[in-house]
Amino acid sequence: MPERRRKFSPEFRDEAVKMVTDGNRPVAQVARELGINPGTLGNWVAQYRTAHPAEEEPLSVSERARLRELERENQELKVRNEFLGKAAAFFAQEYR
């Protein structure tokens, strides 16, 4: 006989989501404590976060500088990787 799906009240869902979002606790831990599937609680949390997007704090000056540095490094690595891929293809043809 198939299992019946449990129905949870909106209040229960709200409290479960609040335990994750306000308490900074992992979804799996809260789900285990409440006896529900972690995937179910994860879906509830995702729906809540979609409906209530958090305001992100603006980056500090040092964080902006670090971000620019990482973006520059990422671009250099992309160019280098592209070059090495073309060089490898060229040399692979030469030895055939």
Side-chain angles (χ1 to χ4, degrees), residues 12-75:
F12 179 83
R13 290 180 182 203
D14 292 342
E15 284 299 316
V17 168
K18 190 176 182 179
M19 290 172 71
V20 174
T21 57
D22 292 347
N24 293 325
R25 295 168 50 196
V27 170
Q29 178 185 2
V30 173
R32 190 172 37 252
E33 290 173 6
L34 297 175
I36 60 176
N37 186 317
T40 300
L41 181 55
N43 288 338
W44 296 346
V45 171
Q47 288 171 355
Y48 174 82
R49 289 183 174 152
T50 300
H52 304 90
E55 297 268 334
E56 290 187 29
E57 294 181 18
L59 297 176
S60 68
V61 175
S62 63
E63 289 172 329
R64 272 196 211 110
R66 179 73 176 140
L67 180 60
R68 278 194 303 273
E69 178 184 330
L70 290 172
E71 288 174 341
R72 195 172 324 124
E73 180 182 347
N74 189 29
Q75 184 61 33

